[in-house]
Amino acid sequence: MEEALERWDEVINEEGRKVVVGLEEGDCMVVYNRRCMHGREAFNLKQEEEGRSIVGCYTGADELESRWRCLFTT
C-alpha cells in the first residue's frame, strides 16, 4: 500500500499536472469535484492582516446546470 501511495504522490506532482490560481479578496472559484482534485498550498499572512477565511459551498451538478440554462439560454 505504501508503494502505491508513493507512486500516486509522484503522479499528481508531475510537471504539467498542477494549475496554480492566485485569488484576491472577493474572488470566487468554482471547482467541478468529479473532474479534478483540488487543494491549497501554504500561505503567509501579512502582519497587518487579521486573518483569512475560506468559505465553501456545495451544489449538485443538476441544480447548477438548470440555473445556467435559465440564466443564459433564454
Side-chain angles (χ1 to χ4, degrees), residues 9-20 36:
D9 189 59
E10 290 172 10
V11 168
I12 64 174
N13 287 297
E14 286 175 355
E15 186 71 31
R17 292 194 184 267
K18 185 177 184 181
V19 176
V20 177
C36 68

Side-chain angles (χ1 to χ4, degrees), residues 24-38:
E24 299 295 328
E25 184 177 344
D27 286 350
C28 176
M29 181 174 183
V30 177
V31 177
Y32 188 30
N33 283 334
R34 294 184 182 180
R35 295 286 179 183
C36 68
M37 294 187 339
H38 58 90

Side-chain angles (χ1 to χ4, degrees), residues 42-57:
F43 59 90
N44 294 318
L45 293 175
K46 297 177 186 171
Q47 288 182 343
E48 65 270 9
E49 292 182 291
E50 291 182 20
R52 175 180 171 155
S53 64
I54 298 175
V55 179
C57 175

